[in-house]
Amino acid sequence: ERIEELGWIYHTIGNIIPQTYDNYWSGHNFPYSESWDELQISFNLICFGLYKQAFTSLRSSLELGLLSVYYNINDDGHNAVKEWLHSRNTNEANTPYAKEIWNILLSNNNIKKFNDKNKLREIFNNLGYLHNYVHTKGIKYSNSMGIPKSNSQTFEPILLDQWLKSYADVISLVCTMHLLKYPISVVRFDYSKKFGIDIPNFGGLQEHGIDKISKILPENYLSDIEEIANEDPDTQIIITQISSLPDMTEEQIEEQMIHVDQMLIEHGNGFTKWLEIQEQL
């Protein structure tokens, strides 16, 4: 249940990375999606007793999760990510080192302010032990893990507990960094009143999403990020603009729902299959 909860929360974070006319299908969210894949791969590996490889995937997930914020720090990820995304033979295409990543991350006022109080960089440094699995720093970080083992994979509860803690720590840190980059994500607002069922991807989350994320963060994190959101000019401009929109009528929402069903029928398997699904629901 804990693994499932953490996984769904990380998946939810993907919804706060804005999708705009300029960046749609640009690959600006590729670092995040690849990070999400690495988390799932890590879980699959741990289920088969491949502990070292599972920790290695967690390290990749952490680095990619930070790269998601790094490349989008100035809201031009659709341009900044290009060289790296296409694996070109240029210096810009090389994955940056941790020091360079953090220099850019801390150039963001929200992240810097939060880091000054809550020591995010120190938390990242404490996760540095994951790097030891990548380069096999002795037997403790090897496939043997310092535990007498047979020549087959074995069930090791202690290693599972260690993995789950690392899994949770990685998700907590990467989620926090995204919330700080997009603080509108912690603003509680009923966006469905203004947009119906067609809420644009501008960074906002529904309240139930905020509640879920708050469960895995350290106690003061959410309140600190909410305070930052209240003082963030861009966040307040967006909320003001959305608040000024007229509320959707029930008829308009019904039209949206009908339009969605029409698209499912047209681009799916036709009316008969759509009707079967509706009856099952």
Side-chain angles (χ1 to χ4, degrees), residues 190-268:
D190 186 2
Y191 298 112
S192 61
K193 288 179 62 177
K194 304 297 183 180
F195 299 110
I197 64 170
D198 191 17
I199 300 174
N201 287 41
F202 57 87
L205 283 177
Q206 296 282 44
E207 285 202 44
H208 63 83
I210 300 173
D211 290 337
K212 282 183 178 180
I213 292 172
S214 67
K215 292 179 181 179
I216 69 158
L217 298 179
E219 186 175 353
N220 63 303
Y221 273 30
L222 187 63
S223 60
D224 286 352
I225 300 173
E226 287 173 338
E227 183 179 330
I228 286 172
N230 290 334
E231 298 173 355
D232 183 66
D234 293 337
T235 297
Q236 294 308 310
I237 288 172
I238 295 173
I239 290 297
T240 300
Q241 291 174 338
I242 293 174
S243 299
S244 68
L245 297 173
D247 290 352
M248 294 280 288
T249 65
E250 291 186 12
E251 290 77 15
Q252 288 173 320
I253 296 174
E254 180 69 18
E255 288 178 8
Q256 286 182 328
M257 296 171 67
I258 290 172
H259 179 65
V260 170
D261 284 338
Q262 289 173 334
M263 290 177 61
L264 291 174
I265 292 168
E266 182 177 357
H267 301 292

Coordinates of all heavy atoms in Angstrom, one line a residue, residues 190-268:
D190 N -11.2 25.4 -6.8 CA -12.0 24.5 -7.5 C -12.0 24.9 -9.0 O -12.9 25.6 -9.5 CB -13.5 24.6 -7.0 CG -14.4 23.5 -7.6 OD1 -13.9 22.7 -8.4 OD2 -15.6 23.5 -7.3
Y191 N -11.0 24.4 -9.7 CA -10.9 24.7 -11.1 C -12.0 24.2 -12.0 O -12.3 24.8 -13.0 CB -9.5 24.2 -11.6 CG -8.3 24.7 -10.9 CD1 -7.5 23.9 -10.1 CD2 -8.0 26.1 -11.1 CE1 -6.4 24.5 -9.5 CE2 -6.9 26.6 -10.4 CZ -6.1 25.8 -9.6 OH -5.0 26.3 -9.0
S192 N -12.7 23.2 -11.5 CA -13.8 22.6 -12.3 C -14.9 23.6 -12.5 O -15.7 23.6 -13.4 CB -14.3 21.3 -11.7 OG -14.8 21.6 -10.4
K193 N -15.1 24.6 -11.5 CA -16.1 25.6 -11.6 C -15.8 26.5 -12.8 O -16.8 27.0 -13.4 CB -16.1 26.4 -10.3 CG -16.7 25.7 -9.1 CD -16.7 26.6 -7.9 CE -17.5 27.9 -8.1 NZ -17.5 28.7 -6.9
K194 N -14.6 26.7 -13.2 CA -14.2 27.6 -14.3 C -14.0 26.8 -15.6 O -14.2 27.4 -16.7 CB -13.0 28.4 -13.9 CG -13.1 29.1 -12.6 CD -14.1 30.2 -12.7 CE -14.2 31.0 -11.4 NZ -15.2 32.1 -11.4
F195 N -13.6 25.6 -15.5 CA -13.2 24.9 -16.7 C -14.0 23.6 -17.0 O -13.8 22.9 -18.0 CB -11.7 24.5 -16.6 CG -10.8 25.6 -16.6 CD1 -10.1 25.9 -15.4 CD2 -10.6 26.5 -17.6 CE1 -9.2 27.0 -15.3 CE2 -9.7 27.6 -17.5 CZ -9.1 27.8 -16.4
G196 N -14.9 23.2 -16.0 CA -15.6 22.0 -16.2 C -14.7 20.8 -16.1 O -13.9 20.7 -15.2
I197 N -14.8 19.8 -17.1 CA -14.0 18.6 -17.1 C -12.8 18.8 -17.9 O -11.9 17.9 -18.0 CB -14.8 17.4 -17.5 CG1 -15.2 17.6 -19.0 CG2 -16.0 17.1 -16.6 CD1 -15.8 16.3 -19.6
D198 N -12.6 20.0 -18.6 CA -11.5 20.2 -19.5 C -10.6 21.3 -18.9 O -10.4 22.4 -19.4 CB -12.1 20.7 -20.8 CG -11.0 20.8 -21.9 OD1 -10.0 20.1 -21.7 OD2 -11.2 21.4 -22.9
I199 N -9.9 20.9 -17.7 CA -9.0 21.8 -17.0 C -7.7 21.8 -17.8 O -7.0 20.7 -18.0 CB -8.8 21.3 -15.6 CG1 -10.2 21.3 -14.9 CG2 -7.8 22.2 -14.9 CD1 -10.1 20.8 -13.5
P200 N -7.2 23.0 -18.2 CA -5.9 23.0 -18.9 C -4.7 22.7 -18.0 O -4.8 22.8 -16.8 CB -5.8 24.5 -19.4 CG -6.7 25.2 -18.4 CD -7.8 24.3 -18.0
N201 N -3.6 22.2 -18.6 CA -2.4 21.9 -17.9 C -1.6 23.1 -17.6 O -0.6 23.3 -18.3 CB -1.6 20.8 -18.6 CG -2.3 19.5 -18.6 OD1 -3.5 19.4 -18.7 ND2 -1.5 18.4 -18.4
F202 N -1.9 23.9 -16.7 CA -1.2 25.1 -16.4 C -0.4 25.0 -15.1 O 0.4 25.9 -14.7 CB -2.1 26.3 -16.2 CG -3.2 26.2 -15.2 CD1 -2.9 26.5 -13.9 CD2 -4.4 25.7 -15.5 CE1 -3.9 26.3 -12.9 CE2 -5.4 25.5 -14.6 CZ -5.1 25.8 -13.2
G203 N -0.5 23.9 -14.4 CA 0.3 23.6 -13.2 C -0.6 23.4 -11.9 O 0.0 23.0 -10.9
G204 N -1.9 23.7 -12.0 CA -2.7 23.6 -10.9 C -3.1 22.1 -10.6 O -3.1 21.3 -11.5
L205 N -3.4 21.8 -9.3 CA -3.8 20.5 -8.9 C -5.2 20.6 -8.3 O -5.5 21.6 -7.6 CB -2.8 19.8 -7.9 CG -1.5 19.2 -8.5 CD1 -0.7 18.7 -7.3 CD2 -1.8 18.1 -9.5
Q206 N -6.0 19.5 -8.4 CA -7.2 19.4 -7.7 C -6.9 19.2 -6.2 O -5.8 18.7 -5.8 CB -8.1 18.3 -8.2 CG -8.5 18.5 -9.6 CD -9.7 19.4 -9.8 OE1 -9.7 20.5 -9.1 NE2 -10.7 19.0 -10.6
E207 N -7.8 19.6 -5.3 CA -7.5 19.5 -3.9 C -7.1 18.1 -3.4 O -6.3 18.0 -2.5 CB -8.7 20.0 -3.1 CG -8.9 21.6 -3.1 CD -9.7 22.1 -2.0 OE1 -9.4 21.7 -0.8 OE2 -10.5 22.9 -2.2
H208 N -7.8 17.1 -4.0 CA -7.4 15.7 -3.5 C -6.0 15.4 -3.9 O -5.3 14.6 -3.1 CB -8.4 14.7 -4.1 CG -8.4 14.6 -5.6 ND1 -7.4 13.9 -6.3 CD2 -9.1 15.2 -6.6 CE1 -7.7 14.0 -7.6 NE2 -8.7 14.8 -7.8
G209 N -5.5 15.9 -5.0 CA -4.1 15.7 -5.3 C -3.1 16.4 -4.3 O -2.1 15.8 -3.9
I210 N -3.5 17.6 -3.9 CA -2.7 18.3 -2.9 C -2.7 17.5 -1.6 O -1.6 17.4 -0.9 CB -3.2 19.7 -2.7 CG1 -3.1 20.5 -4.0 CG2 -2.4 20.4 -1.6 CD1 -3.8 21.9 -3.9
D211 N -3.9 17.0 -1.2 CA -4.0 16.2 0.1 C -3.1 15.0 0.0 O -2.5 14.6 1.0 CB -5.4 15.9 0.3 CG -6.3 17.1 0.7 OD1 -5.7 18.1 1.1 OD2 -7.5 17.0 0.5
K212 N -3.1 14.3 -1.1 CA -2.3 13.1 -1.2 C -0.8 13.4 -1.1 O -0.1 12.7 -0.4 CB -2.5 12.4 -2.6 CG -3.8 11.6 -2.7 CD -3.9 11.0 -4.0 CE -5.2 10.1 -4.2 NZ -5.3 9.5 -5.5
I213 N -0.3 14.4 -1.8 CA 1.1 14.8 -1.7 C 1.5 15.2 -0.3 O 2.6 14.9 0.1 CB 1.4 15.9 -2.8 CG1 1.2 15.4 -4.2 CG2 2.8 16.5 -2.6 CD1 1.3 16.4 -5.2
S214 N 0.6 15.9 0.4 CA 1.0 16.4 1.7 C 1.3 15.3 2.7 O 2.0 15.5 3.6 CB -0.2 17.3 2.2 OG -1.3 16.5 2.5
K215 N 0.7 14.1 2.4 CA 0.9 13.0 3.3 C 2.3 12.4 3.3 O 2.7 11.8 4.3 CB -0.1 11.8 2.9 CG -1.5 12.1 3.2 CD -2.4 10.9 2.7 CE -3.9 11.2 2.9 NZ -4.7 10.1 2.5
I216 N 3.1 12.6 2.2 CA 4.4 12.1 2.1 C 5.5 13.1 2.4 O 6.7 12.7 2.4 CB 4.6 11.4 0.8 CG1 4.7 12.5 -0.3 CG2 3.6 10.4 0.5 CD1 5.4 12.0 -1.6
L217 N 5.1 14.4 2.5 CA 6.1 15.4 2.7 C 6.4 15.6 4.2 O 5.5 15.4 5.0 CB 5.6 16.7 2.1 CG 5.4 16.7 0.6 CD1 4.9 18.1 0.2 CD2 6.7 16.4 -0.2
P218 N 7.6 16.0 4.6 CA 7.8 16.4 6.0 C 6.8 17.4 6.5 O 6.2 18.2 5.7 CB 9.2 17.0 6.0 CG 9.9 16.3 4.8 CD 8.8 16.1 3.8
E219 N 6.6 17.5 7.8 CA 5.4 18.2 8.3 C 5.2 19.6 7.9 O 4.1 20.1 7.6 CB 5.5 18.1 9.9 CG 4.3 18.7 10.6 CD 4.4 18.5 12.1 OE1 5.3 17.8 12.6 OE2 3.5 19.0 12.8
N220 N 6.3 20.4 7.8 CA 6.2 21.8 7.6 C 6.3 22.2 6.1 O 6.1 23.3 5.7 CB 7.3 22.6 8.3 CG 8.7 22.2 7.8 OD1 9.0 21.0 7.8 ND2 9.4 23.1 7.3
Y221 N 6.6 21.2 5.2 CA 6.9 21.5 3.8 C 5.7 22.1 3.1 O 5.9 23.2 2.4 CB 7.2 20.2 3.1 CG 8.7 19.9 3.1 CD1 9.5 20.2 4.2 CD2 9.3 19.2 2.1 CE1 10.8 19.9 4.3 CE2 10.7 18.8 2.1 CZ 11.4 19.2 3.3 OH 12.8 18.9 3.3
L222 N 4.5 21.6 3.2 CA 3.4 22.1 2.5 C 3.0 23.5 2.9 O 2.8 24.4 2.0 CB 2.1 21.2 2.7 CG 0.9 21.6 1.8 CD1 1.3 21.4 0.3 CD2 -0.3 20.8 2.1
S223 N 3.0 23.8 4.2 CA 2.7 25.2 4.7 C 3.8 26.1 4.2 O 3.5 27.3 3.8 CB 2.6 25.2 6.2 OG 3.8 24.8 6.8
D224 N 5.1 25.7 4.1 CA 6.1 26.6 3.6 C 5.9 26.9 2.2 O 6.2 28.0 1.7 CB 7.5 26.0 3.9 CG 7.9 26.0 5.3 OD1 7.2 26.7 6.1 OD2 8.9 25.4 5.7
I225 N 5.6 25.9 1.4 CA 5.4 26.1 -0.1 C 4.1 26.9 -0.3 O 4.1 27.7 -1.2 CB 5.3 24.7 -0.8 CG1 6.6 23.9 -0.6 CG2 5.0 24.9 -2.3 CD1 6.5 22.5 -1.1
E226 N 3.1 26.7 0.5 CA 1.9 27.6 0.4 C 2.2 29.0 0.6 O 1.7 29.9 0.0 CB 0.8 27.1 1.4 CG 0.1 25.8 1.0 CD -0.8 25.2 2.0 OE1 -0.6 25.6 3.2 OE2 -1.7 24.4 1.7
E227 N 3.1 29.3 1.6 CA 3.5 30.7 1.9 C 4.2 31.2 0.7 O 4.0 32.4 0.3 CB 4.4 30.7 3.1 CG 4.8 32.0 3.6 CD 5.7 32.0 4.8 OE1 5.5 31.1 5.6 OE2 6.6 32.9 4.9
I228 N 5.1 30.4 0.1 CA 5.8 30.9 -1.1 C 4.8 31.2 -2.3 O 5.0 32.2 -3.0 CB 6.8 29.8 -1.6 CG1 8.0 29.8 -0.6 CG2 7.3 30.0 -3.0 CD1 9.0 28.7 -0.8
A229 N 3.8 30.3 -2.4 CA 2.8 30.5 -3.5 C 2.0 31.8 -3.3 O 1.7 32.6 -4.2 CB 1.8 29.4 -3.5
N230 N 1.8 32.2 -2.0 CA 1.0 33.4 -1.7 C 1.9 34.7 -2.1 O 1.3 35.7 -2.3 CB 0.6 33.5 -0.3 CG -0.4 32.4 0.1 OD1 -1.2 32.1 -0.8 ND2 -0.4 32.0 1.3
E231 N 3.2 34.5 -2.1 CA 4.1 35.6 -2.4 C 4.6 35.6 -3.8 O 5.3 36.5 -4.2 CB 5.2 35.6 -1.4 CG 4.8 35.8 0.1 CD 5.9 35.6 1.1 OE1 7.1 35.3 0.6 OE2 5.7 35.8 2.3
D232 N 4.3 34.5 -4.5 CA 4.9 34.4 -5.9 C 4.0 35.2 -6.9 O 2.8 34.9 -7.1 CB 4.9 32.9 -6.3 CG 5.5 32.7 -7.6 OD1 6.7 32.9 -7.8 OD2 4.8 32.3 -8.6
P233 N 4.6 36.2 -7.5 CA 3.8 37.1 -8.4 C 3.1 36.3 -9.6 O 2.0 36.6 -9.9 CB 4.9 38.1 -9.0 CG 6.0 38.0 -8.0 CD 6.0 36.6 -7.4
D234 N 3.9 35.4 -10.2 CA 3.3 34.7 -11.4 C 2.1 33.8 -10.9 O 1.1 33.8 -11.6 CB 4.4 33.8 -12.0 CG 5.5 34.6 -12.7 OD1 5.2 35.7 -13.0 OD2 6.6 34.0 -12.8
T235 N 2.2 33.2 -9.8 CA 1.1 32.4 -9.2 C -0.1 33.2 -9.0 O -1.2 32.8 -9.4 CB 1.5 31.7 -7.9 OG1 2.6 30.8 -8.2 CG2 0.4 30.9 -7.3
Q236 N 0.1 34.4 -8.4 CA -1.1 35.2 -8.0 C -1.7 35.8 -9.3 O -2.9 36.0 -9.3 CB -0.6 36.3 -7.1 CG -0.2 35.8 -5.7 CD -1.2 34.9 -5.1 OE1 -2.4 35.3 -5.0 NE2 -0.8 33.8 -4.6
I237 N -0.9 36.1 -10.3 CA -1.5 36.6 -11.6 C -2.4 35.5 -12.2 O -3.5 35.8 -12.7 CB -0.4 37.0 -12.5 CG1 0.3 38.3 -12.1 CG2 -0.9 37.2 -14.0 CD1 1.6 38.6 -12.9
I238 N -1.9 34.3 -12.2 CA -2.7 33.2 -12.8 C -4.0 33.0 -12.1 O -5.1 32.9 -12.7 CB -1.9 31.9 -12.9 CG1 -0.7 32.1 -13.8 CG2 -2.8 30.7 -13.4 CD1 0.3 30.9 -13.8
I239 N -3.9 32.9 -10.7 CA -5.1 32.7 -9.9 C -6.1 33.9 -10.1 O -7.3 33.6 -10.2 CB -4.7 32.6 -8.5 CG1 -4.0 31.2 -8.2 CG2 -6.0 32.6 -7.6 CD1 -4.8 30.0 -8.5
T240 N -5.6 35.1 -10.2 CA -6.5 36.2 -10.4 C -7.2 36.1 -11.8 O -8.4 36.4 -11.9 CB -5.7 37.5 -10.4 OG1 -5.1 37.7 -9.1 CG2 -6.6 38.7 -10.6
Q241 N -6.5 35.7 -12.8 CA -7.1 35.6 -14.1 C -8.1 34.5 -14.1 O -9.2 34.7 -14.7 CB -6.0 35.3 -15.1 CG -5.0 36.5 -15.4 CD -3.9 36.1 -16.3 OE1 -3.5 34.9 -16.5 NE2 -3.3 37.1 -17.0
I242 N -7.8 33.4 -13.5 CA -8.8 32.3 -13.5 C -10.0 32.7 -12.7 O -11.2 32.3 -13.1 CB -8.1 31.0 -12.9 CG1 -7.0 30.5 -13.8 CG2 -9.2 29.9 -12.6 CD1 -6.2 29.3 -13.3
S243 N -9.8 33.3 -11.6 CA -10.9 33.8 -10.7 C -11.9 34.7 -11.5 O -13.1 34.7 -11.2 CB -10.4 34.5 -9.4 OG -9.6 33.6 -8.7
S244 N -11.3 35.5 -12.4 CA -12.2 36.4 -13.1 C -13.0 35.8 -14.2 O -13.9 36.4 -14.8 CB -11.3 37.5 -13.8 OG -10.5 36.9 -14.8
L245 N -12.8 34.5 -14.5 CA -13.6 33.8 -15.5 C -14.9 33.5 -15.0 O -15.1 33.2 -13.8 CB -12.9 32.5 -15.9 CG -11.5 32.6 -16.6 CD1 -10.9 31.2 -16.8 CD2 -11.6 33.3 -17.9
P246 N -16.0 33.5 -15.8 CA -17.3 33.1 -15.4 C -17.4 31.6 -15.1 O -16.6 30.8 -15.6 CB -18.2 33.4 -16.6 CG -17.3 33.3 -17.8 CD -15.9 33.8 -17.3
D247 N -18.2 31.3 -14.1 CA -18.4 29.8 -13.8 C -19.1 29.1 -14.9 O -19.9 29.7 -15.7 CB -19.3 29.7 -12.5 CG -18.6 30.2 -11.3 OD1 -17.4 30.5 -11.3 OD2 -19.3 30.2 -10.2
M248 N -18.7 27.9 -15.1 CA -19.3 27.0 -16.1 C -20.7 26.7 -15.7 O -21.0 26.4 -14.6 CB -18.5 25.7 -16.3 CG -17.1 25.9 -16.9 SD -17.0 26.1 -18.6 CE -17.5 24.5 -19.2
T249 N -21.6 26.7 -16.7 CA -23.0 26.2 -16.4 C -23.1 24.7 -16.6 O -22.3 24.1 -17.2 CB -24.0 26.9 -17.4 OG1 -23.7 26.4 -18.8 CG2 -23.8 28.4 -17.4
E250 N -24.2 24.2 -16.0 CA -24.4 22.7 -16.1 C -24.5 22.3 -17.6 O -24.1 21.2 -18.0 CB -25.6 22.3 -15.4 CG -25.5 22.4 -13.8 CD -26.7 21.9 -13.1 OE1 -27.5 21.2 -13.7 OE2 -26.8 22.1 -11.9
E251 N -25.1 23.2 -18.4 CA -25.3 22.9 -19.8 C -23.9 22.8 -20.5 O -23.7 22.0 -21.4 CB -26.2 23.9 -20.5 CG -27.7 23.9 -20.1 CD -27.9 24.5 -18.7 OE1 -27.0 25.2 -18.2 OE2 -29.0 24.2 -18.1
Q252 N -23.0 23.7 -20.2 CA -21.7 23.8 -20.8 C -20.9 22.5 -20.4 O -20.2 22.0 -21.3 CB -21.0 25.0 -20.4 CG -21.5 26.3 -21.0 CD -20.8 27.6 -20.4 OE1 -20.6 27.6 -19.2 NE2 -20.5 28.5 -21.3
I253 N -21.0 22.1 -19.2 CA -20.3 20.9 -18.7 C -20.9 19.7 -19.4 O -20.1 18.8 -19.9 CB -20.4 20.7 -17.2 CG1 -19.7 21.9 -16.5 CG2 -19.8 19.4 -16.7 CD1 -19.8 21.9 -15.0
E254 N -22.2 19.6 -19.6 CA -22.8 18.5 -20.3 C -22.3 18.5 -21.8 O -22.0 17.4 -22.3 CB -24.3 18.7 -20.3 CG -25.1 17.6 -21.0 CD -25.0 16.3 -20.3 OE1 -24.7 16.2 -19.1 OE2 -25.3 15.2 -20.9
E255 N -22.2 19.6 -22.4 CA -21.6 19.7 -23.7 C -20.2 19.2 -23.8 O -19.8 18.5 -24.8 CB -21.7 21.1 -24.3 CG -23.1 21.7 -24.6 CD -23.1 23.1 -25.0 OE1 -21.9 23.7 -25.2 OE2 -24.1 23.7 -25.2
Q256 N -19.4 19.5 -22.8 CA -18.0 19.0 -22.7 C -18.0 17.4 -22.7 O -17.3 16.8 -23.4 CB -17.3 19.5 -21.5 CG -16.9 21.0 -21.6 CD -16.1 21.4 -20.4 OE1 -16.4 20.9 -19.3 NE2 -15.2 22.3 -20.6
M257 N -18.9 16.9 -21.8 CA -19.0 15.4 -21.6 C -19.4 14.8 -22.9 O -18.9 13.7 -23.3 CB -19.9 15.1 -20.5 CG -19.4 15.6 -19.1 SD -20.6 15.5 -17.8 CE -20.7 13.7 -17.6
I258 N -20.4 15.4 -23.6 CA -20.9 14.8 -24.9 C -19.7 14.8 -25.9 O -19.5 13.9 -26.7 CB -22.1 15.6 -25.4 CG1 -23.3 15.3 -24.5 CG2 -22.4 15.2 -26.8 CD1 -24.5 16.2 -24.8
H259 N -19.0 15.9 -25.9 CA -17.9 16.1 -26.9 C -16.8 15.0 -26.7 O -16.3 14.4 -27.6 CB -17.3 17.5 -26.8 CG -16.1 17.7 -27.7 ND1 -16.3 17.7 -29.1 CD2 -14.8 17.9 -27.4 CE1 -15.1 17.9 -29.6 NE2 -14.2 18.0 -28.7
V260 N -16.5 14.7 -25.4 CA -15.6 13.7 -25.1 C -16.1 12.3 -25.6 O -15.3 11.5 -26.2 CB -15.3 13.6 -23.6 CG1 -14.5 12.4 -23.2 CG2 -14.5 14.9 -23.1
D261 N -17.3 12.0 -25.3 CA -17.9 10.7 -25.8 C -17.9 10.6 -27.3 O -17.6 9.6 -27.8 CB -19.3 10.6 -25.3 CG -19.4 10.2 -23.8 OD1 -18.4 9.7 -23.3 OD2 -20.4 10.5 -23.1
Q262 N -18.1 11.7 -28.0 CA -18.1 11.7 -29.4 C -16.7 11.4 -29.9 O -16.5 10.7 -30.9 CB -18.6 13.1 -30.0 CG -20.1 13.3 -29.8 CD -20.5 14.7 -30.2 OE1 -19.6 15.7 -30.1 NE2 -21.7 14.9 -30.6
M263 N -15.7 12.0 -29.3 CA -14.3 11.7 -29.7 C -13.9 10.2 -29.4 O -13.3 9.6 -30.2 CB -13.4 12.6 -28.9 CG -13.4 14.1 -29.3 SD -12.3 15.1 -28.2 CE -10.7 14.4 -28.6
L264 N -14.4 9.7 -28.3 CA -14.1 8.3 -28.0 C -14.8 7.4 -29.0 O -14.2 6.3 -29.4 CB -14.6 7.9 -26.6 CG -13.9 8.6 -25.4 CD1 -14.6 8.3 -24.1 CD2 -12.4 8.1 -25.3
I265 N -16.0 7.7 -29.4 CA -16.6 6.9 -30.4 C -15.9 7.0 -31.8 O -15.7 6.0 -32.5 CB -18.1 7.4 -30.6 CG1 -18.9 7.0 -29.3 CG2 -18.8 6.7 -31.8 CD1 -20.3 7.7 -29.2
E266 N -15.6 8.3 -32.2 CA -15.0 8.5 -33.5 C -13.6 7.9 -33.6 O -13.3 7.3 -34.6 CB -15.0 10.0 -33.8 CG -14.4 10.3 -35.1 CD -14.5 11.8 -35.4 OE1 -15.0 12.6 -34.6 OE2 -14.0 12.2 -36.5
H267 N -12.8 8.1 -32.6 CA -11.4 7.7 -32.6 C -11.1 6.4 -31.9 O -10.0 5.9 -31.8 CB -10.5 8.8 -32.1 CG -10.6 10.1 -32.8 ND1 -10.2 10.3 -34.1 CD2 -11.2 11.3 -32.4 CE1 -10.5 11.5 -34.4 NE2 -11.1 12.1 -33.5
G268 N -12.2 5.8 -31.3 CA -12.1 4.5 -30.6 C -12.5 3.4 -31.5 O -12.1 3.3 -32.7

